Amino acid sequence: IQCVTGVQTCALPILAIGLGVVVLAAAGAVGAAVGTEHKPAPIEPTEVVCGADTQELTKNEPFQMVSWNLQYGASRKHQFFYDGGEAVHVPEEDVRWTLDAVNKVLTDIDPELMLLQEVDRGSKRTGGIDQHMDYVNATGAKCHTSAAYHKSPYVPVPSGDALGKVDMELSLLTKTKMSSGERIQLAMLDEGRARRMFNLKRALLWGEVPVSGMDLPLAIAVTHLSAFSFGDGTLEKQIGQLKDWMEARPEGQPWILAGDFNLLPPGDDKMRLEHERDLYADSDNPVDVLFDAGLREIFEDQLAPANRTYLSFGTSEPDRKIDYVFVGGPIHVLEAEVIGGEALQISDHLPIRAKFVIGDAPEEPEPEPEPEVLPEPETEGMDAPMDGEAPEMGADTEPQTE
C-alpha cells in the first residue's frame, strides 16, 4: 500500500504494523506460558513461614476457625466473563476496598485458624497485589503457607482482553505454630491439552498445627473443587481424594477439612434455584459419598437457609450451600455459623466461622429441675362454667388478648 506525503497519512500501514506487533507480543507471551507451564507434582511440600514467639493450641481450650472463598479480592461490583458478564480486570480501588473489608471481618472474629480460597498473589486482574501477605499482615498471623491452583505467566482468554498473568492460591494462616505444609494435586477436568495448560489445577493444601497436651497435631486442610464440570466425573474423583485424605488420618488425630466444594448438600433440589442450576449434575450428588461414610460436617441441618453460603451476581442473599467444613478425631464443635452482614458485600461466598475444642468432649450442662407443680386450689362454693361453656363477660370482666 502506498501513501503520498502531504496528501494522506500512512494510517493503514501503521495500523497493520501495530497489529502485527501486538500479535507477535501475544504469541510470544503464549509461547512463554507454554514453556513455563505450571506442572505441580502429585504431592509436593509447601513452605511454611513462621514468626517468633508462636504459641501452640492447647488441649481442652476453645479456638476459632474461619473458612472463606474470597473471590480473589475482586468485590461483588463486577460480573465476570466466566459468569456471563464482561469484567476481566478490576480497578485497584475496588481491590483495595475488598481487601480492607476482608481484613475487618477477619480481625473482628479474630480466629486462630484461617482457611482461605481464591487468594491472588500478583495477578494482573487484581493489580498485581500479593493478597496472601496483605491478609497475613492485617490479621497478625504467626504462620502461613499457600499453594497455587491457577498459575500462568499469561492466560490468553478472553479474546481481546486477556487475563495475562494469573497466580491464585489456597492459603492457610494461623496465629499458632504450624509445623508442615503439603499440596496434593486433585483430579483435573476432562478437557484438551491446550485448555488444560491455562486452566485451573485444583488442589488440597494441608498442614499440621501442634496441640499442647496431645500426642498428635491438628491437621488442617483447605480446598476448592471444580466448577463447570457438568457431570464429567471430575467432582466424583476429587471427592474421592478428599475422602482418602480424611480416612488416612491416624487414629486419635484431630482434623479439619474446609472449602468450596461447588456441590449442593444432600437432598437439595437444584430446580428451586433461579440462577446457575445447570452447574449441578442431574444424577447422583458426589458429596453424598462423604455423608454416607459417616464423616462429620459441622452443621446438623444441611438444608437450613441460615447455612447457605453462595450468592449469585446481583442477588443480596445466599440461595444455596456449596461450602463445607468436615471434622474428625477428638475435636468437638462448640459453635458454627455462616457470617452475613457486611460480608454480603465482599465476595460471592460468605465466611463460615466455627469454634472448636480438642481433647475431651465438653460436659453437657445438667438439665434444670422441673418446677414443682402445686395443687389446684379448691373451688367449693364457687360458680364455674360447665366443660366447653365459655364464661359470661360481665361489666368487671377484662377481654383476653393473645
Side-chain angles (χ1 to χ4, degrees):
I1 301 174
Q2 297 181 349
C3 59
V4 180
T5 304
V7 177
Q8 68 184 84
T9 65
C10 296
L12 189 56
I14 292 173
L15 177 60
I17 292 171
L19 287 174
V21 171
V22 170
V23 170
L24 288 173
V30 171
V34 171
T36 57
E37 180 187 355
H38 182 220
K39 296 179 180 179
I43 299 176
E44 57 187 25
T46 63
E47 181 184 13
V48 177
V49 178
C50 289
D53 302 322
T54 55
Q55 304 297 315
E56 294 184 352
L57 292 177
T58 303
K59 179 182 178 180
N60 295 333
E61 289 190 5
F63 64 94
Q64 293 192 101
M65 175 230 66
V66 167
S67 174
W68 197 358
N69 180 327
L70 298 166
Q71 199 183 17
Y72 54 89
S75 84
R76 294 200 67 217
K77 296 180 181 179
H78 310 280
Q79 186 173 16
F80 294 97
F81 69 95
Y82 51 81
D83 277 337
E86 297 182 355
V88 179
H89 301 93
V90 183
E92 184 174 346
E93 58 267 26
D94 290 347
V95 179
R96 293 291 182 187
W97 180 91
T98 306
L99 298 186
D100 290 344
V102 168
N103 287 326
K104 182 179 185 303
V105 171
L106 293 176
T107 53
D108 285 349
I109 298 172
D110 194 25
E112 283 79 5
L113 309 177
M114 290 159 274
L115 286 63
L116 309 178
Q117 307 105 60
E118 291 199 23
V119 178
D120 266 4
R121 303 199 68 174
S123 297
K124 179 183 176 183
R125 64 185 175 187
T126 46
I129 299 169
D130 187 343
Q131 297 176 6
H132 174 90
M133 289 309 302
D134 193 274
Y135 300 140
V136 168
N137 294 329
T139 61
K142 299 297 185 181
C143 293
H144 58 94
T145 189
S146 70
Y149 65 109
H150 191 196
K151 186 173 184 178
S152 175
Y154 185 82
V155 176
V157 296
S159 177
D161 189 14
L163 274 171
K165 179 186 176 183
V166 174
D167 186 354
M168 184 172 72
E169 310 209 358
L170 301 165
S171 292
L172 291 175
L173 280 59
T174 69
K175 294 185 179 178
T176 66
K177 288 183 180 179
M178 182 162 45
S179 58
S180 63
E182 185 175 86
R183 181 193 190 278
I184 298 175
Q185 178 61 49
L186 299 181
M188 289 185 276
L189 292 173
D190 184 12
E191 57 188 359
R193 175 74 179 86
R195 183 178 176 86
R196 179 175 288 185
M197 186 185 309
F198 299 104
N199 211 345
L200 285 76
K201 296 178 172 66
R202 308 281 179 164
L204 174 76
L205 170 66
W206 72 286
E208 292 189 320
V209 175
V211 181
S212 178
M214 296 289 290
D215 293 333
L216 294 172
L218 168 68
I220 56 173
V222 61
T223 193
H224 184 186
L225 304 187
S226 289
F228 313 113
S229 62
F230 301 103
D232 71 352
T234 301
L235 282 166
E236 286 86 349
K237 296 174 185 176
Q238 293 175 350
I239 287 290
Q241 290 174 281
L242 300 190
K243 182 173 179 285
D244 289 344
W245 182 90
M246 297 178 199
E247 294 179 342
R249 297 309 96 215
E251 184 176 356
Q253 180 177 43
W255 57 264
I256 302 170
L257 188 155
D260 175 3
F261 285 20
N262 275 310
L263 289 167
L264 299 175
D268 205 353
D269 180 7
K270 73 173 188 175
M271 297 309 296
R272 69 172 181 81
L273 302 175
E274 293 185 22
H275 309 281
E276 303 165 338
R277 66 175 62 157
D278 292 336
L279 295 178
Y280 308 103
D282 294 323
S283 56
D284 296 339
N285 186 344
V287 82
D288 289 352
V289 171
L290 302 181
F291 290 92
D292 292 344
L295 295 163
R296 288 188 287 154
E297 213 274 341
I298 62 172
F299 292 106
E300 291 185 5
D301 187 351
Q302 295 293 306
L303 301 179
N307 297 335
R308 294 172 179 172
T309 58
Y310 176 76
L311 305 88
S312 299
F313 180 78
T315 61
S316 59
E317 294 292 336
D319 68 349
R320 73 200 72 180
K321 171 184 170 68
I322 59 175
D323 302 85
Y324 297 82
V325 181
F326 283 88
V327 297
I331 184 169
H332 311 282
V333 182
L334 303 180
E335 299 172 4
E337 65 174 334
V338 176
I339 303 293
E342 58 191 340
L344 291 164
Q345 308 302 320
I346 297 173
S347 169
D348 56 354
H349 292 252
L350 296 178
I352 298 173
R353 181 196 70 86
K355 180 181 284 189
F356 302 108
V357 66
I358 292 172
D360 303 328
E363 293 184 2
E364 294 288 340
E366 293 185 5
E368 295 183 3
E370 295 184 5
E372 183 180 356
V373 179
L374 299 176
E376 293 288 338
E378 295 184 5
T379 58
E380 184 177 353
M382 297 178 62
D383 292 332
M386 298 288 289
D387 288 344
E389 181 182 353
E392 292 183 0
M393 183 179 293
D396 297 330
T397 306
E398 292 285 344
Q400 296 182 355
T401 58
E402 292 185 355

